Amino acid sequence: MLADRVKEIGASPTMMVAAEAKKLKSEGVDVIDLSMGEPDFHTPHNIKDAGINAIEENRTRYTLNQGTNELRIAISAKLKRDNNLDYNLNEIIVSSGAKQSVYNSILATVNPGDEVIIPAPYWVSYPAMVSLAGGKTVVIDTDEETGFKIDPEQLLSVITPKTKMLILCNPSNPTGSAYTKNELESIAQIVLKNNFYVLVDEIYEKLVYDYFEFTSFASIDPELKKKTILVNGISKTYAMTGWRIGYTAAPENVVYAINKIQSHTTSHASSISQHAAIEAVAGPQYVISEMLEEFRNRREYFYHELTSIKGITCYKPEGAFYLFPNISYYLHTKSKILKVENSFDFAMHLLYEAHLAVVPGSAFGKEGYLRLSYATSMEHLHEAIFRLKKALNKIH
């Protein structure tokens, strides 16, 4: 009795791992969760106060489906200030999280049979969203040696008359790799010669390290902006995952189509969250540097300890808050609990043997790897390394 489209997708593996970890926690097990892409910081006080004030001022009624004018004005100013991009209000739509922004964008542009190019490793939901829209995912495999980034030759090799979109997550979830301006320009040249969209997921734009300079894809060329669907939000930068505010900046006809879809699904995002989001994007930004410095320290420690373990290699990420280590050395082994044939088995071994929650690389289209989030305390990371080493000694 279920729709065929549901049969073609699975549940989000990150949510599945998190659910199992929470189950163990509820049973009194001390689980260290490295599976969730969620900052462990609190939402800054000025932003929380803006939300509280919105409640006190009774700003609790319907807003424009596209988002309040005030918030879209603030987003437009942010895009100009940070990315040198000019978007008018009719080119911006606010949604209930960046995930909905991505999905709405795909629904608004992808027809059944259209091809969507997605580099792997990819965020787990991209292929499922394409499938739900009736599209076909075309995967470009990348590797650790090239920083998990596609090159122009790879992109050219998969473009067909059915190509409708390229999805680019920059910086990347799950690898943390980020494209330089020169690398983006090489991709842009190909896009400009072909008639397809580029959906750029830039939710981690502020979380970059070591003086890396982030470049928004749409800013490279005025003509490129006409083919770019830019998705961003407030969840990662301001530790506001539960507030559920994302936004899309795109050509006006695309935003109009997204607005129609959203009007029949969720309508507008939470009115309270929208008012808090204005303070986030338009208010003081010092909290970003404070959070970033702590993430950088965690990255340095976690990367150093992880790569000192025999058999484990890892690309050192430029952004986000993930490590994506290669654990192939430990596959095709066994423990007292199970055979460790793939990354999912390895993740289960860590969960049940070491009480570490991680996400298998297969969830991201890359077998033989794990995604580890260092969006947790340094104390937890120290303990995680200790438990990981202990668990590795129990497989052979």
Side-chain angles (χ1 to χ4, degrees):
M1 297 296 289
L2 296 177
D4 290 341
R5 69 178 68 90
V6 180
K7 301 174 185 176
E8 296 177 4
I9 63 171
S12 168
T14 52
M15 295 302 181
M16 291 171 63
V17 172
E20 186 64 18
K22 287 179 180 178
K23 178 177 177 291
L24 289 175
K25 286 181 179 180
S26 70
E27 296 170 354
V29 178
D30 177 24
V31 176
I32 295 178
D33 193 348
L34 305 179
S35 69
M36 293 298 287
E38 180 174 49
D40 59 318
F41 302 97
H42 297 304
T43 301
H45 283 291
N46 62 309
I47 299 173
K48 290 192 287 188
D49 288 343
I52 293 168
N53 290 339
I55 296 172
E56 296 291 347
E57 294 170 4
N58 296 309
R59 296 175 180 263
T60 55
R61 301 189 182 278
Y62 292 134
T63 75
L64 291 172
N65 188 73
Q66 202 168 337
T68 66
N69 285 336
E70 294 85 354
L71 177 52
R72 286 182 293 134
I73 288 170
I75 291 169
S76 177
K78 178 268 174 212
L79 291 169
K80 180 64 177 178
R81 178 190 72 219
D82 296 347
N83 309 115
N84 195 30
L85 288 168
D86 291 307
Y87 285 96
N88 63 51
L89 297 198
N90 289 331
E91 296 174 310
I92 297 171
I93 182 168
V94 177
S95 302
S96 298
K99 180 179 280 189
Q100 188 191 18
S101 298
V102 172
Y103 186 44
N104 284 350
S105 298
I106 292 171
L107 284 180
T109 55
V110 175
N111 288 313
D114 284 347
E115 295 178 350
V116 178
I117 301 169
I118 304 178
Y122 45 69
W123 181 48
V124 296
S125 295
Y126 292 148
M129 291 175 174
V130 171
S131 179
L132 287 169
K136 176 186 176 183
T137 295
V138 177
V139 174
I140 297 179
D141 191 40
T142 66
D143 55 48
E144 193 176 336
E145 288 69 29
T146 58
F148 300 109
K149 292 180 278 191
I150 60 171
D151 60 43
E153 290 74 23
Q154 285 179 303
L155 180 56
L156 280 169
S157 70
V158 297
I159 294 173
T160 75
K162 293 184 178 180
T163 301
K164 176 59 73 73
M165 177 183 287
L166 163 68
I167 298 180
L168 210 57
C169 186
N170 183 40
S172 165
N173 175 4
T175 66
S177 63
Y179 287 86
T180 65
K181 184 177 182 180
N182 286 342
E183 290 168 337
L184 292 176
E185 286 175 340
S186 296
I187 295 172
Q189 290 176 10
I190 296 172
V191 174
L192 288 171
K193 294 177 182 178
N194 295 271
N195 188 29
F196 60 86
Y197 290 112
V198 181
L199 193 161
V200 286
D201 185 344
E202 298 181 347
I203 192 71
Y204 295 98
E205 75 159 302
K206 295 295 183 181
L207 302 180
V208 292
Y209 311 102
D210 304 332
Y211 305 104
F212 183 90
E213 292 188 14
F214 171 80
T215 300
S216 184
F217 190 71
S219 69
I220 292 173
D221 188 287
E223 288 300 309
L224 191 66
K225 181 170 171 275
K226 299 175 183 178
K227 297 183 178 182
T228 301
I229 301 172
L230 188 162
V231 170
N232 208 326
I234 62 172
S235 60
K236 315 296 183 180
T237 302
Y238 305 100
M240 295 177 69
T241 51
W243 294 77
R244 308 312 302 139
I245 294 291
Y247 60 85
T248 305
E252 190 169 332
N253 65 321
V254 174
V255 170
Y256 176 76
I258 293 172
N259 199 19
K260 286 202 295 182
I261 292 169
Q262 188 162 292
S263 72
H264 292 295
T265 52
T266 58
S267 297
H268 63 80
S270 161
S271 61
I272 303 304
S273 295
Q274 287 191 65
H275 284 285
I278 295 170
E279 178 64 20
V281 299
Q285 302 294 298
Y286 62 85
V287 66
I288 300 174
S289 59
E290 293 177 357
M291 191 186 306
L292 188 61
E293 180 61 19
E294 180 61 25
F295 278 142
R296 189 194 68 79
N297 291 336
R298 294 175 186 179
R299 182 197 63 154
E300 290 299 311
Y301 167 77
F302 208 30
Y303 173 81
H304 177 268
E305 290 296 321
L306 199 62
T307 54
S308 69
I309 298 173
K310 180 182 178 181
I312 292 181
T313 61
C314 186
Y315 178 76
K316 191 172 186 179
E318 294 91 356
F321 39 65
Y322 309 108
L323 292 180
F324 199 66
N326 186 332
I327 46 87
S328 299
Y329 178 84
Y330 292 94
L331 301 186
H332 311 298
T333 58
K334 60 182 179 179
S335 70
K336 291 181 180 179
I337 302 174
L338 45 73
K339 290 183 178 180
V340 182
E341 295 294 333
N342 52 48
S343 58
F344 181 81
D345 294 339
F346 191 90
M348 289 301 101
H349 171 70
L350 292 185
L351 183 59
Y352 294 116
E353 185 65 49
H355 302 147
L356 286 177
V358 303
V359 188
S362 56
F364 307 98
K366 196 70 171 175
E367 186 52 80
Y369 290 78
L370 297 178
R371 191 192 74 172
L372 308 177
S373 170
Y374 51 87
T376 188
S377 69
M378 191 68 83
E379 179 184 358
H380 281 164
L381 295 180
H382 280 283
E383 179 64 18
I385 288 293
F386 173 77
R387 294 186 187 186
L388 175 61
K389 291 178 178 179
K390 190 174 181 181
L392 291 179
N393 288 331
K394 295 185 178 182
I395 57 178
H396 56 276

